[in-house]
């Protein structure tokens, strides 16, 4: 009887622990999800106004949202890899400014028209290293394309540190691009 009571107490304790972890995960995932939702909403809104905004207008509309959503300084450092340590303070500042402009320009040029596209957040959860992952899809031209965002907390705020589209890491692509540019 004592054994059954201990087992029951242990199961209840485990259930409470699992429920607590689940509530904590959901609470932690909510801010990360809202970062991605805000980005997705702004992208769709920008696409709907693409013609009237033009490239410059799209750039100006996307810039503050991209600044809020992405940890651009960190992504820039990671993309440069070991070459980062070889730059002096002025070069680092110039590189980060160029990286920011390039990132915003890429979004402004890629999201330039609307033909019924929509984003859908499929799930949120934990990622390795205390990060969060927000799994989305974009519905476009009869296709469903997976886009997964990896977010980390920077100064207490969730920020995107990597985007994986169709299984390909944007950070890995940027690392290859910027590392090869630095070598040249």
């Amino acid at each position: 009887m004592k054994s059954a009571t201990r087992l029951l107490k242990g199961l209840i304790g485990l259930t409470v622990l699992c429920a607590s972890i689940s509530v904590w995960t959901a609470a932690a995932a909510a801010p990360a999800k809202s970062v991605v939702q805000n980005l997705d909403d702004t992208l769709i809104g920008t696409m709907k106004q693409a013609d009237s905004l033009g490239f410059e207008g799209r750039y100006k509309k996307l810039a503050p949202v991209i600044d809020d959503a992405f940890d651009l300084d960190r992504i820039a450092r990671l993309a440069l890899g070991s070459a980062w340590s070889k730059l002096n303070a002025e070069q680092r500042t110039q590189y980060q400014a160029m990286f920011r402009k390039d990132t915003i320009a890429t979004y402004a040029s890629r999201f330039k028209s609307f033909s019924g596209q929509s984003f859908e957040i499929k799930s949120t959860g934990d990622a390795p290293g205390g990060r969060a992952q927000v799994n989305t899809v974009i519905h476009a031209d009869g296709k469903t394309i997976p886009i997964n965002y990896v977010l980390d907390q920077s100064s207490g705020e969730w920020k995107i540190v990597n985007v994986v589209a169709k299984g390909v890491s944007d950070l890995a692509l940027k690392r290859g691009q910027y590392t090869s540019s630095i070598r040249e």
Side-chain angles (χ1 to χ4, degrees):
M1 190 66 170
K2 282 186 176 183
S3 173
T5 303
R6 276 199 314 246
L7 178 61
L8 183 58
K9 284 181 181 179
L11 287 173
I12 290 170
L14 182 60
T15 302
V16 169
L17 177 63
C18 288
S20 298
I21 290 171
S22 178
V23 167
W24 177 82
T25 300
K33 180 180 178 181
S34 86
V35 169
V36 173
Q37 186 68 60
N38 186 47
L39 175 64
D40 290 351
D41 291 346
T42 303
L43 290 171
I44 292 295
T46 303
M47 291 164 62
K48 287 180 177 179
Q49 299 176 326
D51 290 337
S52 64
L53 290 172
F55 176 82
E56 287 299 319
R58 292 192 307 273
Y59 186 99
K60 286 178 183 175
K61 185 171 180 174
L62 292 171
V65 175
I66 289 171
D67 286 336
D68 286 344
F70 290 86
D71 190 344
L72 291 174
D73 288 343
R74 184 173 178 184
I75 297 168
R77 285 191 311 268
L78 292 171
L80 206 52
S82 61
W84 175 261
S85 63
K86 296 173 185 161
L87 300 178
N88 63 38
E90 183 181 339
Q91 290 170 323
R92 288 177 179 178
T93 300
Q94 288 174 348
Y95 166 71
Q96 287 175 316
M98 182 272 313
F99 186 89
R100 176 186 176 270
K101 286 179 184 176
D102 183 55
T103 299
I104 297 166
T106 298
Y107 274 85
S109 65
R110 287 188 183 159
F111 292 89
K112 61 184 175 186
S113 65
F114 182 75
S115 58
Q117 298 92 330
S118 65
F119 288 97
E120 179 184 356
I121 294 178
K122 299 299 261 181
S123 64
T124 60
D126 294 333
R131 294 181 173 154
Q133 183 164 319
V134 179
N135 301 316
T136 70
V137 294
I138 183 169
H139 303 285
D141 302 323
K143 298 174 187 168
T144 301
I145 303 163
I147 303 174
N148 301 325
Y149 298 90
V150 178
L151 296 91
D152 202 354
Q153 283 191 299
S154 175
S155 303
E157 295 181 80
W158 287 103
K159 298 269 190 175
I160 298 167
V161 293
N162 196 11
V163 180
V164 180
K166 295 189 214 176
V168 178
S169 164
D170 187 53
L171 181 57
L173 291 174
K174 285 179 178 168
R175 178 170 266 182
Q177 174 189 3
Y178 285 99
T179 301
S180 109
S181 294
I182 290 293
R183 276 191 222 132
E184 292 173 9

